[in-house]
Amino acid sequence: MHNSIRKLVVGPVMAAMALAAPALAQDSDFQPEKMTAFVAAGAGGGTDNFTRTIQPMLEERLNTKITVINLPSASGVLAHQRTANSKPDGTSLDFASSTFITSRAAGQNPVGLDKLTPVARMQSDVMMLVVNPEKHETLEDFMAYARENGDKVVIGGTHAASVDRMAFLGLNEQSGLNLNYIPYDNEGSAAASLLGGNVDGMMNEISAIQGYMESGEMKPILAFAAERLEAYPDIPTTVENGWDLTFGNERGVFINAETDPAIISAIEAAFKDIFDSEEYQTYAKRSNLDVRPGWLGSDDYRAALEKDLAFFEKLMEDM
Amino acid sequence: MFQDLLGGFGVVLQPINLLILTSAVLIGFVGGALPGISGVILVVILLPVTYSMEPTGAFMLLTAIYASSVFSGLITAILYRAPGTPEAVMTAIDGYPMTQRGEAGKALGIGILSSAVGGMFGTIVLVVATPFLADMALRFSSPEFFALAVLGLTVVASLGGNLLLGLIGVCIGLMVASVGIDPLTGTIRFTFGSLHLMGGVNLIPVIIGLFAISEVLKRCQEGDVHLAAKSFKIKILDWPVIRQIRTTIIRSSILGTAIGILPGIGASTAAMVSYSETVRWSKDRSRFGKGAPEGIAAPEAANNAAAMGALVPLFALGIPGSGTTAVILGAFIVHGLTPGPTFMAGNSDLIYAVFVGLLLVNVMILVFSKPFIAVLSKVLDVPYSVLGPIIVICCVVGTYSVQNSMMDVWLMLGFGVAGFLLEKIGFPLVAIILGVVLGPIAESELRRSLALSQGDPSIFVTRPISAILLLIAVALVAGTIVAPILRRRRARFGGGA
């Protein structure tokens, strides 16, 4: 019985591999037998979905077999550490979100950019200040209310060392307000608090609040972006208010820093090819992750991360 | 609505969907019965499979697995004191003593019936009252969650045995729960520099260690070669027993559904609170912990009801009520659907098919559980010298699989030895679990409440729901302390009169 099952499963897989191999062999010289994708987040979340969507696309392009391992504990620090300690042969990848850099700024993450090299950034979501429209209609309303009741205004967000918190701290610093931040364990609890009227506002990404925006129960009043978003031209931005704060949650891929640059380039090229594919863009559109262009190559991504890290560290210090 | 329900039946009764539901129930059974493999993990494993399915089938599959895995955690909890899922911890307290007494069949029958009734009750509430209840759930904020966690912690007073040891146990649990990153400030606490401890101590290794491993150790020492119940017959419709547990089932189903609806509070908490309420309403508290049928009925009706209740805020608000529903929310988004206020109206076909599917799943639990357990219980004929190591292997693999962490396995074995030693002095192990499960909720919600009120503690008594919950908790503890004193006094004075 075991034999027949094996034949059933292995047969078609082998056949498919044999068919696919010659066609793809020219694409890249880097074709490891198997790879490991460490996910610095729990199963089922945004970063996990991102990884599992990419997995078959990357397998096809590098002609390999990828095992996905979720290491959500401690803001994903274990995923960064396992990748940094892996053999530098390019077969271990770390799929991470902005938490990589925010937890570093908060002193939780001992693995820095000296041990991990960014390969590519694939997504760049837009941070929003979201309010309950029953309480506040526009950014002006909110700001007037906040100036009057500054220390009573409470903003919810997810986690203490997150991009939500960094955006909040940045807003407080640049706008001269003195708002309070309450970290919740997950987005859902923060959203429930906003819907129930227990907090005055919430930091969240645009991709996460679509349903509530359509039903009119939540209203984003400030986009952390340089220019107004094409899809949401009515939402004012931080930069037009004179606040230099442009971030949101980002998702990308990291690799052991000792890896041969040629291999890193090969993997980066594979990711670029995935990013440009229709299949990936359909996924990005469906998950509302295409509001802002996501792609950054290895060098640009490193520069962006270093800039963010310096800014976040300063915010944490000033607090 | 009836039109929608009929439509739902039409969809569910298609052969392909019936096949999906049946296989989902069986997958859920197997996963739930294995310690360490919980509903969350099963749903995650099957998530990629559903990408290529059409949404209705996909969500029937995921929700059905979710429902049946919550149920089947009771099997190993009752037979081996190795709760298959965290939700089934409370079931082991009275279920395992019944097995030891040779009443495994009766215990399983009670568990199956209570689960199915609780699950069906929760589903009916889900069908009838989702939009209305979702608004109610939003009235619960940090102060109410804190009050609910405190109420749950008072279970320790109704556990019987030595109250002082129980309180020490809760404190140990609270200490374990405080390891890791501080949820509000991000400060690292009690990790001794270990990266593995930064994420805190996971619940699964604590439960499996304290309950399953300690039991294996105990039986090793006793040289016990066979389980007391070598063979048993499950009787689900046992009328004298049903008469005894029916009020418990009804009360626990209502409580479980209500607690499940609250965002962020899961079926484990529901099982704990229902257990404590059942003990409190009972005339003879001393039977609990020694194999009382109500002690199985209460947590099982409640956790299955709560699992369904947790779907209410998911569908109506897009807010997951528990870990597994959070993953299901992710699945919706991958399928291009956004649960939330506008979701119900726009996707009634899908939702009613899922509702009808869930009703059917609870019926299937009644029908399929007997043959499933019959197969599983063949294992009982194996001598314990073989079975014990198999249980340990399952525990090790299951614990490792939760976070791919060897540290968890060492923790689990450590808790196993600790549980073995603590039980020798009659320590109520479940008190530790109470602390670990409810401690983080109590701590972070207390601090969040005070942040909301700018440090003013009156927030707990000025909000009616939290005030009532806290009052009940105080009354319960006071009653436990005062009642014996009164009784002694009455015995002294009453005897003389």
Side-chain angles (χ1 to χ4, degrees):
Chain A
M1 191 191 149
H2 277 284
N3 259 327
S4 62
I5 288 179
R6 246 170 91 185
K7 264 181 217 149
L8 256 168
V9 177
V10 174
V13 171
M14 295 283 274
M17 277 164 64
L19 281 173
L24 285 157
Q26 306 110 7
D27 286 350
S28 163
D29 297 334
F30 178 66
Q31 298 198 344
E33 203 174 312
K34 53 183 189 214
M35 295 177 77
T36 311
F38 295 108
V39 185
T47 307
D48 185 55
N49 282 340
F50 162 65
T51 312
R52 288 174 199 269
T53 311
I54 300 252
Q55 180 191 0
M57 307 182 193
L58 192 64
E59 281 179 341
E60 192 187 312
R61 281 166 180 84
L62 295 179
N63 190 20
T64 183
K65 193 91 201 77
I66 300 175
T67 314
V68 175
I69 298 179
N70 290 85
L71 295 168
S73 161
S75 315
V77 167
L78 293 178
H80 312 319
Q81 195 201 29
R82 289 266 293 262
T83 313
N85 292 343
S86 65
K87 233 164 92 184
D89 56 1
T91 58
S92 298
L93 299 177
D94 178 13
F95 285 72
S97 69
S98 289
T99 307
F100 169 70
I101 213 76
T102 55
S103 64
R104 178 105 181 117
Q108 292 175 358
N109 173 9
V111 185
L113 288 169
D114 52 329
K115 293 186 191 133
L116 289 180
T117 296
V119 177
R121 185 185 80 181
M122 300 288 278
Q123 297 174 356
S124 168
D125 210 340
V126 183
M127 180 62 68
M128 293 278 172
L129 174 62
V130 187
V131 294
N132 189 332
E134 283 176 25
K135 281 193 164 182
H136 310 286
E137 264 296 316
T138 60
L139 181 64
E140 289 78 55
D141 287 353
F142 178 82
M143 292 301 290
Y145 177 78
R147 266 190 287 271
E148 211 148 288
N149 309 291
D151 42 4
K152 284 206 188 95
V153 178
V154 181
I155 306 287
T158 314
H159 296 311
S162 60
V163 70
D164 291 13
R165 172 98 180 280
M166 298 301 164
F168 166 82
L169 290 173
L171 182 66
N172 248 359
E173 187 213 52
Q174 303 231 341
S175 67
L177 290 173
N178 188 23
L179 313 175
N180 299 293
Y181 177 82
I182 297 187
Y184 288 87
D185 296 333
N186 50 59
E187 272 179 26
S189 303
S193 289
L194 183 67
L195 290 174
N198 293 300
V199 294
D200 298 282
M202 168 178 77
M203 309 301 302
N204 207 339
E205 267 78 30
I206 187 116
S207 64
I209 54 168
Q210 300 277 328
Y212 305 108
M213 282 167 62
E214 279 162 29
S215 72
E217 285 177 278
M218 286 188 190
K219 189 175 177 191
I221 52 165
L222 181 66
F224 286 63
E227 282 159 41
R228 292 211 175 192
L229 305 170
E230 215 171 287
Y232 306 95
D234 298 336
I235 308 174
T237 69
T238 41
V239 172
E240 70 185 50
N241 278 284
W243 307 322
D244 182 20
L245 306 160
T246 53
F247 31 72
N249 200 12
E250 304 181 351
R251 297 202 175 91
V253 184
F254 297 83
I255 198 166
N256 187 339
E258 286 163 31
T259 314
D260 179 1
I263 293 180
I264 298 182
S265 301
I267 301 175
E268 184 189 338
F271 274 102
K272 177 73 176 134
D273 192 41
I274 292 172
F275 184 83
D276 292 332
S277 70
E278 205 190 311
E279 202 183 356
Y280 180 80
Q281 285 303 326
T282 315
Y283 150 78
K285 200 172 176 53
R286 210 168 45 182
S287 325
N288 300 305
L289 286 163
D290 58 343
V291 210
R292 181 152 69 185
W295 177 260
L296 278 186
S298 178
D299 295 338
D300 296 338
Y301 191 19
R302 172 189 289 277
L305 286 170
E306 277 170 352
K307 186 173 156 251
D308 284 349
L309 180 63
F311 182 53
F312 295 158
E313 277 175 341
K314 192 180 147 291
L315 283 176
M316 294 299 288
E317 235 170 72
D318 294 347
M319 198 176 58
Chain B
M1 192 175 82
F2 286 103
Q3 205 86 39
D4 292 326
L5 271 180
L6 280 180
F9 267 107
V11 176
V12 171
L13 293 179
Q14 287 166 12
I16 176 74
N17 288 335
L18 278 177
L19 185 71
I20 288 177
L21 277 184
T22 315
S23 38
V25 169
L26 294 179
I27 294 169
F29 273 3
V30 175
L34 294 171
I37 312 276
S38 60
V40 185
I41 294 173
L42 283 176
V43 170
V44 167
I45 292 172
L46 282 159
L47 207 53
V49 178
T50 68
Y51 288 170
S52 57
M53 294 167 67
E54 49 112 18
T56 311
F59 291 102
M60 279 200 315
L61 178 75
L62 295 178
T63 50
I65 289 177
Y66 167 57
S68 63
S69 69
V70 172
F71 153 75
S72 79
L74 73 87
I75 303 171
T76 41
I78 289 175
L79 291 180
Y80 313 118
R81 207 176 78 158
T85 54
E87 290 90 344
V89 175
M90 301 306 283
T91 314
I93 300 176
D94 281 283
Y96 190 65
M98 279 181 86
T99 300
Q100 285 176 314
R101 247 184 359 226
E103 296 178 339
K106 187 179 164 194
L108 288 167
I110 295 168
I112 295 165
L113 182 74
S114 313
S115 295
V117 174
M120 257 181 263
F121 180 86
T123 314
I124 291 169
V125 172
L126 178 68
V127 175
V128 179
T130 293
F132 162 71
L133 287 172
D135 282 343
M136 290 285 291
L138 285 182
R139 300 212 184 149
F140 273 70
S141 183
S142 299
E144 287 78 20
F145 289 137
F146 169 72
L148 194 67
V150 170
L151 185 62
L153 283 172
T154 58
V155 177
V156 68
S158 39
L159 283 176
N162 189 327
L163 182 63
L164 188 65
L165 286 182
L167 289 174
I168 294 174
V170 168
C171 291
I172 295 177
L174 292 174
M175 269 165 58
V176 170
S178 65
V179 172
I181 296 174
D182 180 316
L184 271 93
T185 62
T187 313
I188 296 166
R189 305 190 294 201
F190 311 122
T191 63
F192 307 101
S194 156
L195 283 185
H196 292 272
L197 284 177
M198 258 173 66
V201 178
N202 195 288
L203 182 60
I204 305 253
V206 182
I207 289 176
I208 293 183
L210 283 181
F211 284 85
I213 298 291
S214 68
E215 179 64 18
V216 173
L217 287 175
K218 193 170 109 201
R219 292 175 65 104
C220 282
Q221 197 198 23
E222 287 167 358
D224 194 351
V225 285
H226 271 282
L227 276 180
K230 199 177 165 194
S231 61
F232 56 82
K233 242 179 113 81
I234 301 168
K235 208 167 167 204
I236 297 176
L237 293 178
D238 188 348
W239 294 111
V241 177
I242 291 177
R243 254 195 298 281
Q244 194 185 345
I245 58 173
R246 66 183 167 198
T247 35
T248 304
I249 293 185
I250 294 167
R251 184 179 48 237
S252 305
S253 299
I254 297 172
L255 259 177
T257 312
I259 294 174
I261 290 169
L262 304 175
I265 310 274
S268 312
T269 310
M272 286 175 178
V273 173
S274 298
Y275 186 88
S276 96
E277 287 307 299
T278 301
V279 176
R280 175 149 36 144
W281 286 76
S282 151
K283 287 198 194 83
D284 180 10
R285 292 187 186 184
S286 62
R287 293 181 300 124
F288 287 88
K290 302 184 190 89
E294 295 95 326
I296 300 173
E300 280 309 316
N303 64 21
N304 286 275
M308 297 302 106
L311 293 171
V312 169
L314 175 70
F315 286 139
L317 301 170
I319 291 167
S322 66
T324 319
T325 46
V327 178
I328 295 178
L329 175 67
F332 272 115
I333 291 167
V334 169
H335 276 270
L337 299 164
T338 321
T342 53
F343 179 62
M344 299 276 291
N347 298 280
S348 61
D349 292 359
L350 173 101
I351 295 199
Y352 279 94
V354 170
F355 284 170
V356 173
L358 285 172
L359 278 177
L360 216 60
V361 165
N362 283 301
V363 177
M364 285 179 174
I365 286 177
L366 273 181
V367 179
F368 291 157
S369 55
K370 254 168 105 166
F372 177 73
I373 296 174
V375 173
L376 198 74
S377 65
K378 288 274 175 272
V379 180
L380 284 184
D381 293 337
V382 176
Y384 203 79
S385 52
V386 177
L387 189 61
I390 293 176
I391 293 177
V392 174
I393 290 169
C394 285
C395 290
V396 169
V397 173
T399 306
Y400 180 80
S401 71
V402 177
Q403 305 195 89
N404 298 295
S405 160
M406 224 21 229
M407 180 72 183
D408 280 354
V409 176
W410 298 123
L411 276 174
M412 181 216 39
L413 295 174
F415 276 107
V417 174
F420 170 68
L421 296 174
L422 285 173
E423 207 159 45
K424 280 196 177 280
I425 55 166
F427 202 93
L429 293 180
V430 78
I432 300 177
I433 305 280
L434 285 177
V436 178
V437 173
L438 300 173
I441 302 177
E443 186 211 337
S444 54
E445 298 298 359
L446 171 71
R447 292 168 61 191
R448 267 183 212 123
S449 307
L450 291 174
L452 280 173
S453 69
Q454 273 80 47
D456 183 1
S458 70
I459 189 169
F460 296 109
V461 288
T462 50
R463 295 177 62 116
I465 302 175
S466 107
I468 292 169
L469 290 174
L470 285 174
L471 203 69
I472 299 174
V474 170
L476 177 63
V477 174
T480 316
I481 297 168
V482 175
I485 302 174
L486 283 182
R487 217 176 299 137
R488 236 172 291 145
R489 200 169 272 190
R490 209 173 300 147
R492 207 182 303 152
F493 296 108

